[in-house]
Amino acid sequence: MSKQSLSRPPVYTHPVLEVGNGVCSTGHPLSAQAGVAIMKRGGNAFDALVGAAFTTFVMEPESCGIGGYGHISAFVAKQREFLSIDAYCRAPGEAYASMFEIDESVPPTYYGHPLTKDRQSDMGWLSIAVPGAVAGFCDTHALLGRLPLTTVLEPAIELAEAGVPVTFKHQIEIGKVLDDIKRFPDTARALLSGGKLPKAQTQTGFCDHLDTGNLAKLLKRIAKRGKRAFHSGACAKKMASYIRSHGGILTASDLEGYRPRVMREQPASYRGYQYVSCFDQVCYEALNILSRFDLKSRGADSFAYRHLTAEALALAFADSMTHYGDPDFVASPVNGLSHPGFAAERARLIRLSRVVSRPVRAGDPWQFDALQEPPERLSYPLTLARRAGTSQIAVADRYGNMASACVSIGSSYGSLIYVPELGVFMNNAMQNFDPRPEHPSHIAPGKMPIFAAPALVATRAGQARFAGSGSGGYRIEPGVLQTFMNHVDHGMPIQRAVDHPRLHCQGQDTFVDDRIDPQVQHRLRRVGHTVTLLQEQPGANGFGRISAVTRNPRSGALRAAGGPAWGTGVAGF
């Protein structure tokens, strides 16, 4: 183990939080506090998850919101079963496979598919998909919650009524897209002050506030009527009318017809843990590959641990980016991607002496597709009667329940479309489809695009032990997985597991935290990695923001962690 790596701690970290009743870790301190406050009032982890999510929607409009989507994984202690609620966006009914012209003059996107002309798929009126966040979290509450929804949404409503103080993070995210914001007058009025960046909080406490009064009114209606207040009636009509009047294609019928994908997934195994990740095949394949290597004996700072992790991620990303398509719409080997036999075949390509040839070519998961049990789909009305620019939430309660969620509107402020009468920023999830009609993840009405960002919940011996999620696009994947492995393989307490330097690879370059031992960096280059060094600093988010919680199986003690600490919040009681 290198002295260099041990002498370079995180830039900033949370103190250890260990309590006995409930913990919540989120992307904003007030969201974590809201989750804990709800548990103090008698709510369970699922009430806390929903309350923290809606609070996050208010406090982090640059990252998520009710015009966006969510991925939720839960372990229900009483039934000892997992539940996954995939509340991802769906393509509107008027969408079609060739609706965007491909721009061949620029490199592919961060997500691995071509960009579109005039950025139509990632900004503006046509980039908006049917949002799923409200339906997903309201369904989660209806299935698993204990408190009334009016109580669960109180913290979010109170904060929205007060207005959101502008922070340095808001300034950074607004600044990134300032010129584009000015193209949309209603968005500019919502985010800018006199056409310029709003003032952030200072030592005197003075700052500008984002006006969230109309959002507060909408949240009150959702608290009383549930998802119907958003997905039908006046709200749906106003949203659709506003978007269509400017050239968009979202309709009130799209909103009313939206349904999340609700599943009992077959749990995967890792080092004696059982886990689900809300239908994230990259997560399943990468951990299946890594389970075939002895990571513990190699050490958390070793070249081998870094190299094997990068190779597993590279293979898993290449396979999903090539083969994944919404299984409700296209023939896609989604079950084969998560089968251990496919991972074993891919793991045989990995050598410590050299990288798999770049760019990584996809394998063939089809031969394993029929061997893997698909998730059990729950149909509406839902029931558990059989056996009794993104943010994140992880929560655990005294009753043994755990849950995690990844919430997003896509890019910073999503599509940059703001519906002023409702106070809602709309997602730009159409960018997550592949604009090529021949690709399995092509656009089709009602279809969900690929999503590779785990909301991971893990148990051991029937008890919930770990929950984690993150934000930061595909950097969420290595963030959550390496936090989980640091905790499970290397025995790190959860805050240290979050803080430990990470790397990321999607099949070409390997992005490495510059705190990693220079000797390890040198060996990575020597075996063929094209290493790009990144530094942990505010606004960069090179390796994702991570929130995670754990339970000690002997004492029952709960811990919460988050990082980077300047962009996360933890709370407990």
Side-chain angles (χ1 to χ4, degrees):
M1 188 177 292
S2 165
K3 292 181 180 179
Q4 174 93 14
S5 62
L6 290 177
S7 65
R8 299 187 65 192
V11 176
Y12 179 48
T13 186
H14 290 291
V16 172
L17 173 66
E18 183 173 288
V19 295
N21 294 303
V23 287
C24 188
S25 176
T26 68
H28 194 285
L30 292 180
S31 302
Q33 292 167 26
V36 167
I38 289 164
M39 286 188 280
K40 284 183 175 179
R41 296 183 65 175
N44 60 19
F46 313 116
D47 292 312
L49 183 85
V50 174
F54 276 93
T55 303
T56 300
F57 296 161
V58 174
M59 301 308 297
E60 293 193 79
E62 74 283 4
S63 300
C64 58
I66 63 176
Y69 48 94
H71 299 262
I72 304 158
S73 295
F75 177 74
V76 187
K78 186 175 181 180
Q79 282 84 24
R80 288 198 172 192
E81 69 178 7
F82 292 97
L83 185 72
S84 301
I85 299 181
D86 189 355
Y88 204 7
C89 292
R90 295 185 181 274
E94 295 180 15
Y96 55 96
S98 59
M99 65 182 285
F100 297 116
E101 185 180 355
I102 294 171
D103 188 346
E104 297 180 352
S105 68
V106 292
T109 69
Y110 173 75
Y111 297 100
H113 51 248
L115 278 167
T116 57
K117 286 284 182 71
D118 301 319
R119 298 176 57 194
Q120 285 190 324
S121 68
D122 66 274
M123 181 177 62
W125 308 99
L126 291 175
S127 69
I128 302 169
V130 188
V134 173
F137 283 98
C138 285
D139 282 348
T140 300
H141 175 264
L143 281 167
L144 304 174
R146 298 174 61 178
L147 297 178
L149 190 60
T150 50
T151 302
V152 170
L153 265 57
E154 278 183 15
I157 293 168
E158 182 179 338
L159 290 166
E161 288 179 326
V164 176
V166 173
T167 66
F168 81 93
K169 185 171 184 287
H170 294 138
Q171 276 194 328
I172 289 172
E173 298 304 326
I174 292 171
K176 287 179 180 178
V177 290
L178 182 59
D179 290 340
D180 292 325
I181 286 172
K182 292 178 179 179
R183 294 174 52 187
F184 304 101
D186 287 326
T187 307
R189 279 189 286 272
L191 294 176
L192 305 182
S193 178
K196 299 179 180 180
L197 280 178
K199 294 181 175 63
Q201 289 172 319
T202 64
Q203 292 174 338
T204 64
F206 173 81
C207 65
D208 287 324
H209 284 67
L210 303 180
D211 183 355
T212 48
N214 286 341
L215 177 60
K217 294 174 184 177
L218 178 53
L219 290 173
K220 286 180 179 179
R221 295 196 289 272
I222 294 171
K224 291 178 181 178
R225 297 184 56 230
K227 63 184 180 182
R228 292 177 301 159
F230 181 82
H231 282 276
S232 62
C235 178
K237 291 176 182 177
K238 289 176 182 177
M239 193 181 310
S241 176
Y242 178 81
I243 292 167
R244 293 181 70 83
S245 69
H246 291 85
I249 60 175
L250 184 72
T251 67
S253 296
D254 291 329
L255 290 159
E256 189 167 9
Y258 178 88
R259 296 290 185 274
R261 180 188 286 141
V262 185
M263 304 165 286
R264 288 188 182 96
E265 294 186 87
Q266 181 68 25
S269 296
Y270 185 80
R271 316 290 192 213
Y273 285 75
Q274 305 295 304
Y275 72 94
V276 299
S277 68
C278 196
F279 211 56
D280 175 10
Q281 311 306 333
V282 175
C283 172
Y284 292 128
E285 182 181 345
L287 286 179
N288 280 339
I289 290 171
L290 288 163
S291 69
R292 306 187 68 81
F293 297 92
D294 179 6
L295 303 182
K296 181 178 179 179
S297 67
R298 301 179 187 276
D301 292 290
S302 67
F303 156 76
Y305 178 47
R306 306 301 191 181
H307 171 69
L308 293 170
T309 300
E311 294 290 85
L313 287 166
L315 291 165
F317 269 108
D319 294 332
S320 274
M321 295 303 105
T322 299
H323 293 291
Y324 185 91
D326 186 336
D328 294 338
F329 290 81
V330 297
S332 174
V334 292
N335 302 315
L337 288 167
S338 60
H339 191 274
F342 178 57
E345 182 179 273
R346 300 297 274 160
R348 283 194 285 271
L349 299 175
I350 298 176
R351 302 284 186 273
L352 286 176
S353 58
R354 57 176 170 80
V355 299
V356 175
S357 297
R358 300 299 199 258
V360 173
R361 294 183 179 181
D364 179 12
W366 276 108
Q367 59 184 312
F368 300 95
D369 195 58
L371 304 177
Q372 179 77 355
E373 182 179 346
E376 176 190 354
R377 299 287 291 275
L378 303 187
S379 58
Y380 280 77
L382 295 170
T383 176
L384 291 179
R386 191 186 68 163
R387 286 195 295 272
T390 306
S391 196
Q392 70 279 351
I393 305 115
V395 63
D397 66 24
R398 73 179 89 179
Y399 311 110
N401 302 306
M402 271 194 187
S404 68
C406 176
V407 290
S408 184
I409 54 171
S411 306
S412 294
Y413 297 98
S415 60
L416 300 182
I417 301 304
Y418 176 75
V419 185
E421 192 173 357
L422 302 173
V424 175
F425 289 96
M426 301 304 299
N427 70 82
N428 63 339
M430 293 301 290
Q431 69 171 331
N432 295 332
F433 287 103
D434 196 302
R436 296 170 292 188
E438 70 274 13
H439 193 278
S441 192
H442 68 259
I443 300 166
K447 189 178 180 184
M448 289 184 179
I450 188 171
F451 192 80
L456 195 151
V457 176
T459 66
R460 186 161 188 162
Q463 294 184 344
R465 297 279 293 274
F466 175 96
S469 190
S471 62
Y474 285 166
R475 308 298 171 95
I476 302 168
E477 196 76 59
V480 175
L481 266 58
Q482 286 169 82
T483 296
F484 182 55
M485 293 188 295
N486 290 339
H487 181 64
V488 170
D489 288 293
H490 302 301
M492 293 184 190
I494 191 60
Q495 185 61 59
R496 185 180 164 203
V498 169
D499 291 335
H500 198 64
R502 300 190 285 272
L503 51 67
H504 173 58
C505 185
Q506 287 177 216
Q508 296 198 55
D509 290 3
T510 302
F511 299 90
V512 176
D513 190 314
D514 72 346
R515 294 175 295 151
I516 288 177
D517 188 342
Q519 294 180 12
V520 171
Q521 297 174 25
H522 174 71
R523 286 194 65 185
L524 289 170
R525 292 188 181 94
R526 196 169 67 192
V527 300
H529 290 272
T530 301
V531 171
T532 298
L533 294 180
L534 298 177
Q535 189 176 61
E536 184 182 270
Q537 57 183 320
N541 200 16
F543 300 97
R545 289 189 303 162
I546 303 300
S547 288
V549 298
T550 60
R551 171 180 282 105
N552 185 307
R554 292 179 293 277
S555 67
L558 303 172
R559 286 190 173 189
W566 55 70
T568 51
V570 298
F573 75 112

